[in-house]
Amino acid sequence: MIGRLNHVAIAVPDLDAAARQYRETLGASVGSAIDQPDHGVTVIFITLPNTKIELLHPLGTDSPIAGFLAKNPAGGIHHICYEVDDIVAARDRLLASGARVLGEPKIGAHGKPVIFLHPKDFTGTLIELEQV
Ligand code: CO
């Protein structure tokens, strides 16, 4: 069911410092910061030859990643995103298997439908599925 790895999202306490490290120390192609108020994050996309990295930083007072950064003050991998062909079919298959799907499909950071799967059902990893 799952296809390519779409991105790995890393929550960071200092967006500028993280962007500079990826650009200058690691030599990656780093985009500019994009505020996504609907998602409560500011994002920087890093394009690698085979996937993307998303640097996430809280935006606003009710950010979904604020708690994660409180527990992981140095930052850390927040979620990984796999591609699927059909988000509704994927959700139905996962629900039928007993997995916890967090919310209804909604439009994600790339303008495409996404769902999130509970980390306790997937070896401690928050999984995002994105329909491509
Ligand atoms: Co994501």
Side-chain angles (χ1 to χ4, degrees), residues 27 29 34 85 103:
S29 173
I34 302 166
D85 292 331

Side-chain angles (χ1 to χ4, degrees), residues 57-109:
H57 188 72
L59 175 66
T61 53
D62 195 24
S63 173
I65 61 166
F68 181 89
L69 276 174
K71 277 184 242 154
N72 304 275
I77 293 176
H78 181 264
H79 66 267
I80 57 177
C81 177
Y82 301 120
E83 297 179 355
V84 295
D85 292 331
D86 182 332
I87 200 80
V88 172
R91 178 201 58 187
D92 291 348
R93 172 173 167 162
L94 286 155
L95 289 173
S97 78
R100 281 167 282 186
V101 176
L102 305 173
E104 287 295 305
K106 65 172 191 175
I107 299 301

Side-chain angles (χ1 to χ4, degrees), residues 7 9 54 79 81 110 116 128:
H7 61 269
E54 291 181 10
H79 66 267
C81 177
H110 307 110
F116 284 89
E128 178 181 24

